[in-house]
Amino acid sequence: MLRNRLESIEARINDACRRAGRKREEVTLIAVSKTKPAEMVEEVYGAGIRCFGENKVQELSEKYEKLPKDIHWHMIGHLQRNKVKSVVGIAELIHSVDSLRLADAIDKEAQKKGIRAKILIEVNMAREDSKFGIMPEEALDFVKEAAKLTNIQVQGLMTIAPFVADPEENRKYFSALRKLSVDISKEKVNNVCMGVLSMGMTNDFEVAIEEGATMVRIGTAIFGERNYAV
């Protein structure tokens, strides 16, 4: 079942890349395994997937301990400063940095561990009250300030688009994030690379790819519906 789902998603990613005139290798599939047991992650791992995303720090830590060490873990959920020490050094990329206080906490923990933590800046492109992320007009100044921290590296931007019936409704947000990324890149800020655009999920990842996504975060289409009662 999971392999069939993965094959279907892979075909859809390939088709979206073809429509956009892009190469398949330009897009990284992150399998979002939140609330799903390690056994299901192992099955997806067995099908060749190596990038997995988690929303909760505790789940990330537990699965990191149980599962193969060549997995590339991504922290994609909201991150509290008091949980930073459990993520830095485990997550290859933290997608959800939305405050300078959080960036500073990540920087300090990375310094303690002798590493440079890679982060994305979360931007609330649709300006939804229910979502985290900085406003688009704040992004450049935010990036400039975050870039002063020497133990982190800004790798790009992330957004969570609204849940909509028609994915085309989110095209404007994906397009705007890509433009914002290009505009920031033109500033040539030291310690900043705008190589990553993390956008698009199960409902709208094809549109996101057409608009330049380099990482898509897909959970339900791979693992099935979540059981939040667990």
Side-chain angles (χ1 to χ4, degrees):
M1 177 68 79
L2 289 178
R3 284 180 180 269
N4 291 339
R5 289 174 179 168
L6 281 167
E7 287 174 4
S8 173
I9 290 164
E10 185 61 34
R12 291 167 64 188
I13 291 173
N14 272 296
D15 287 345
C17 287
R18 190 159 48 247
R19 288 193 297 273
R22 302 178 64 193
K23 296 177 180 177
R24 170 62 185 90
E25 54 266 31
E26 294 176 27
V27 181
T28 299
L29 168 60
I30 299 172
V32 180
S33 48
K34 63 180 182 180
T35 79
K36 297 300 181 179
E39 292 76 19
M40 288 186 79
V41 176
E42 285 181 322
E43 191 174 344
V44 174
Y45 175 92
I49 301 299
R50 291 295 179 270
C51 294
F52 290 86
E54 286 292 335
N55 279 56
K56 302 291 185 183
V57 173
Q58 185 175 345
E59 269 198 89
L60 174 63
S61 299
E62 289 173 355
K63 287 174 183 170
Y64 174 80
E65 292 300 327
K66 291 179 181 178
L67 292 160
K69 291 299 179 274
D70 63 337
I71 287 178
H72 304 287
W73 290 104
H74 294 251
M75 179 64 196
I76 63 174
H78 181 64
L79 180 59
Q80 297 172 310
R81 283 177 290 132
N82 64 352
K83 303 278 183 70
V84 161
K85 64 182 178 182
S86 299
V87 173
V88 172
I90 292 179
E92 181 174 292
L93 184 62
I94 300 171
H95 290 230
S96 48
V97 176
D98 59 357
S99 76
L100 289 172
R101 292 176 73 191
L102 175 58
D104 186 62
I106 294 169
D107 179 74
K108 286 183 168 64
E109 187 62 30
Q111 184 179 31
K112 288 179 189 175
K113 292 178 176 173
I115 61 175
R116 290 186 80 197
K118 296 178 181 179
I119 68 168
L120 303 180
I121 308 304
E122 182 173 357
V123 186
N124 187 346
M125 295 305 297
R127 303 174 185 274
E128 293 182 279
D129 292 339
S130 61
K131 298 273 176 65
F132 293 102
I134 63 170
M135 292 297 113
E137 62 272 16
E138 300 169 344
L140 177 57
D141 287 342
F142 187 103
V143 166
K144 286 180 177 177
E145 288 302 309
K148 295 176 183 177
L149 300 168
T150 55
N151 298 284
I152 64 172
Q153 184 177 39
V154 179
Q155 297 270 295
L157 305 176
M158 181 270 249
T159 198
I160 301 173
F163 185 81
V164 292
D166 181 3
E168 283 295 329
E169 294 180 32
N170 284 337
R171 189 179 293 276
K172 60 189 174 187
Y173 302 122
F174 299 143
S175 175
L177 189 73
R178 182 174 185 276
K179 182 180 184 302
L180 182 60
S181 172
V182 170
D183 289 344
I184 293 173
S185 185
K186 287 178 180 175
E187 295 289 322
K188 300 187 184 304
V189 182
N190 285 336
N191 195 30
V192 171
C193 168
M194 282 287 120
V196 177
L197 274 181
S198 173
M199 58 188 192
M201 301 191 294
T202 288
N203 193 50
D204 53 20
F205 69 88
E206 288 147 307
V207 173
I209 289 170
E210 290 169 6
E211 293 299 331
T214 67
M215 291 184 177
V216 291
R217 311 178 303 271
I218 302 178
T220 302
I222 297 173
F223 292 98
E225 295 295 331
R226 260 95 190 151
N227 181 4
Y228 290 103
V230 177

